[in-house]
Amino acid sequence: MSERLQDITSPVPSEISRSDAQHQNPLSDHAAPLHERLPLEIFCHIIHLCVGFKTPVRDLVELQLVCRSWHDIIADTSFLWGTINAAEGLPAVRKALEMAKDSLIDINFINRGRKVDQTEFFKLAREKVYQWRSFVVEFGSGEWESTLADLKSKKPPNLDTLRLVKDSFKPWGRNEIVLFGGDPAPGLQDVEFVCVPINRQSLQLSGLKSLRLDGMPSVSATEVITLITASPGLEILHLLTLDGAVLPTEASPSQPNLASNSVIKLAFLVDLRLFYLNLPFTSYLLSTLTFPQLRSLWVGCELEENAAFQLGETVGMNRLDPSMDSIASGAEMYMVTLSYGSYSIIIGGLDINISFSGAFSIDHFSETFTWLSGHLERSLHDLPLHLDLDNCEPEDSNLEWFTSHTNVTTLTLYSCPYSGPGLEEILQILGRSTPPPPSPPNWLLPQVEVLHTYLAGREGDLAIVGMVEARHAASRRSSAAGTNRAFPKPFREIWLNYAGRIYPPPPLTAEVMSKMVQAAEGADVYWGGKKWIGSYP
């Protein structure tokens, strides 16, 4: 918060009062304090933007210390105190509720890492239930009855945001909870249900701007279409892991039209996520929805072993041609992550995630890559690529494919220290040319200039040093020969992280760091996210 205020705070001369400043021209005296140069409404809005979500009361109290004028303005502006966050503790909650007076308030109970008396928190919040504007709760499986007690009988009149998130995918039982006494919920604009047993039919949701359903096995494909159709003004739509959302085999007069040639226009949709849905339903949605303003698309598919797959036909992305370039536009680099049974491709606002049983297949990935390359205006072959090998089996053929088809400039290597594959083998592969002499040298991923590794602190230490030394030696030979065609570029940055992503990382030995800096030959070396300057901070 202090960084956001460093350019707007200034000393307040004791002889200048707020009433005196009102008689001055605010544009003629730039030395005047900010609260005297701006209309009060704008000043309070700036203060509101400087207050964080996690510690709103603490931030406001710190801002009150700037000067007496700020203290009084903040104390008298009740809407600034409207964020009620249980994580700040009950004393802060009590203060915020008192200072908010009659203003609308946002109730947030996300109790992570700090034990807050849940019963007491909701008892305090209940006293101002008619002022609730939003109700955001993340909780465990045994806390439903007391947490939702205030929502069972009647909808708070000003409530426009309802987000209920259960912190696990464990089953909750058969009985769904009916909110608001079974009455419809007019006025709700932002709804998120994650793994919660909420009866949606009684709410009769419509006119939503944001909808997120995740881990809700009772949600059907028909219900999803009904919700979307009733909310043409949707801006955010996230549908994740809805096992019951399966296209019906037979049409029903009581159900909405699910014909493959129907069109649903969402003129304001900017963010769409379809993750691990039934594959035909994913294809149906992408073929049916139109979204001219879409800026972010995340599609995740889970495939059966040996299942036929083509990104355009199987997933239904052929219909997206007019939108693809705008979604992926502006990307100066794209990212590919390879794991044992999955891969993902992120290009600008486009995120494709494919998982399947069995090991990663370069042939499968190649089909997806080829389809994307053919449907984007900018070629992926030349665009800088960040390749992330995350617990992926070290295969020469995979690296050879990326060497010949892409422009990998950043490489991340991660292997779980307990069950991951031996990525140290990849360090050996990257540290030698293929094939071996006397054939002409061919180095894998020769354009890599930035290296992130999570292999330090075990057998990978000296393997990293050896690989860097070998590639830098080859780069020097390339410069001497006057060509860089087949030789690797020297590294610009080397980011070392402890195996297993332990934070803060235990220090490496001075001997290892000395060898790494020497091998880096001027490249920046980082340890645990901090630049190495010869010693640990």
Side-chain angles (χ1 to χ4, degrees), residues 360-380:
F360 167 79
S361 167
I362 193 63
D363 293 334
H364 196 292
F365 175 85
S366 178
E367 290 184 16
T368 301
F369 180 88
T370 301
W371 188 90
L372 285 172
S373 298
H375 288 76
L376 293 174
E377 186 175 293
R378 185 171 182 181
S379 171
L380 294 182

Side-chain angles (χ1 to χ4, degrees), residues 133-324:
R133 175 173 49 197
S134 67
F135 188 82
V136 179
V137 179
E138 294 186 13
F139 44 162
S141 57
E143 304 162 348
W144 289 100
E145 294 299 323
S146 59
T147 303
L148 299 180
D150 300 308
L151 298 178
K152 284 186 176 182
S153 59
K154 189 177 181 180
K155 175 183 175 293
N158 295 297
L159 191 69
D160 63 22
T161 298
L162 180 61
R163 300 179 185 174
L164 304 177
V165 178
K166 185 167 172 286
D167 61 6
S168 72
F169 283 84
K170 295 180 181 179
W172 57 68
R174 297 181 179 180
N175 296 327
E176 292 187 333
I177 296 176
V178 177
L179 299 179
F180 313 142
D183 292 336
L188 281 181
Q189 296 185 355
D190 182 340
V191 171
E192 177 179 13
F193 294 148
V194 178
C195 303
V196 292
I198 300 299
N199 181 282
R200 286 93 45 203
Q201 285 73 21
S202 63
L203 298 176
Q204 298 182 29
L205 298 172
S206 63
L208 299 176
K209 291 185 177 180
S210 177
L211 173 64
R212 183 172 189 251
L213 301 176
D214 184 0
M216 305 279 287
S218 63
V219 173
S220 67
T222 300
E223 181 181 351
V224 170
I225 298 302
T226 299
L227 288 170
I228 294 175
T229 305
S231 300
L234 274 170
E235 299 172 9
I236 299 173
L237 177 60
H238 295 177
L239 305 174
L240 299 86
T241 322
L242 306 179
D243 295 340
V246 179
L247 290 175
T249 56
E250 298 181 0
S252 170
S254 61
Q255 295 178 340
N257 180 20
L258 298 183
S260 59
N261 59 353
S262 59
V263 174
I264 302 175
K265 185 174 182 179
L266 298 177
F268 304 99
L269 192 70
V270 294
D271 184 358
L272 175 62
R273 297 187 182 185
L274 307 174
F275 192 72
Y276 286 179
L277 303 179
N278 177 263
L279 196 53
F281 187 49
T282 299
S283 178
Y284 171 80
L285 290 173
L286 290 175
S287 301
T288 301
L289 302 179
T290 61
F291 24 71
Q293 302 298 323
L294 196 67
R295 292 295 176 266
S296 176
L297 173 63
W298 180 24
V299 177
C301 302
E302 188 173 17
L303 306 178
E304 299 292 336
E305 189 172 5
N306 300 321
F309 175 81
Q310 210 279 337
L311 193 62
E313 295 294 338
T314 312
V315 185
M317 294 189 66
N318 280 334
R319 181 85 171 266
L320 301 185
D321 276 359
S323 305
M324 288 280 287

Side-chain angles (χ1 to χ4, degrees), residues 411 449-453 464-465 467-469 472 490-497 513 515-532:
L411 178 65
E449 296 180 288
V450 178
L451 174 68
H452 296 258
T453 106
I464 298 171
V465 173
M467 182 271 290
V468 172
E469 288 177 337
H472 280 186
F491 290 108
R492 289 188 295 105
E493 298 176 8
I494 300 173
W495 297 74
L496 303 173
N497 295 277
M513 291 305 300
K515 290 182 178 179
M516 183 62 65
V517 171
Q518 184 177 358
E521 297 182 1
D524 292 332
V525 177
Y526 297 82
W527 171 247
K530 296 182 179 179
K531 188 174 180 179
W532 176 259

Side-chain angles (χ1 to χ4, degrees), residues 379-532:
S379 171
L380 294 182
H381 298 278
D382 301 323
L383 189 65
L385 168 61
H386 179 175
L387 178 61
D388 179 6
L389 303 182
D390 187 341
N391 284 311
C392 184
E393 291 291 342
E395 297 285 349
D396 293 35
S397 58
N398 294 345
L399 299 182
E400 291 170 357
W401 188 93
F402 280 95
T403 300
S404 59
H405 292 83
T406 67
N407 178 27
V408 180
T409 59
T410 300
L411 178 65
T412 294
L413 303 176
Y414 172 76
S415 178
C416 174
Y418 308 107
S419 58
L423 282 186
E424 287 81 1
E425 295 181 27
I426 287 186
L427 296 174
Q428 297 174 9
I429 295 171
L430 294 174
R432 63 174 184 262
S433 62
T434 57
S439 301
N442 181 28
W443 287 79
L444 295 176
L445 308 182
Q447 303 300 320
V448 171
E449 296 180 288
V450 178
L451 174 68
H452 296 258
T453 106
Y454 290 84
L455 306 178
R458 58 179 194 181
E459 296 85 352
D461 292 350
L462 296 181
I464 298 171
V465 173
M467 182 271 290
V468 172
E469 288 177 337
R471 290 177 75 93
H472 280 186
S475 180
R476 290 194 300 272
R477 291 195 297 271
S478 167
S479 298
T483 178
N484 58 5
R485 180 179 178 184
F487 292 88
K489 287 186 175 182
F491 290 108
R492 289 188 295 105
E493 298 176 8
I494 300 173
W495 297 74
L496 303 173
N497 295 277
Y498 196 78
R501 295 187 172 129
I502 297 174
Y503 189 84
L508 294 178
T509 65
E511 179 184 4
V512 169
M513 291 305 300
S514 176
K515 290 182 178 179
M516 183 62 65
V517 171
Q518 184 177 358
E521 297 182 1
D524 292 332
V525 177
Y526 297 82
W527 171 247
K530 296 182 179 179
K531 188 174 180 179
W532 176 259

Side-chain angles (χ1 to χ4, degrees), residues 14-37:
S14 58
E15 68 273 10
I16 298 180
S17 68
R18 188 167 181 79
S19 60
D20 294 335
Q22 291 175 349
H23 299 287
Q24 301 175 5
N25 183 349
L27 298 179
S28 64
D29 187 1
H30 295 287
L34 181 70
H35 64 275
E36 295 181 359
R37 284 184 278 136

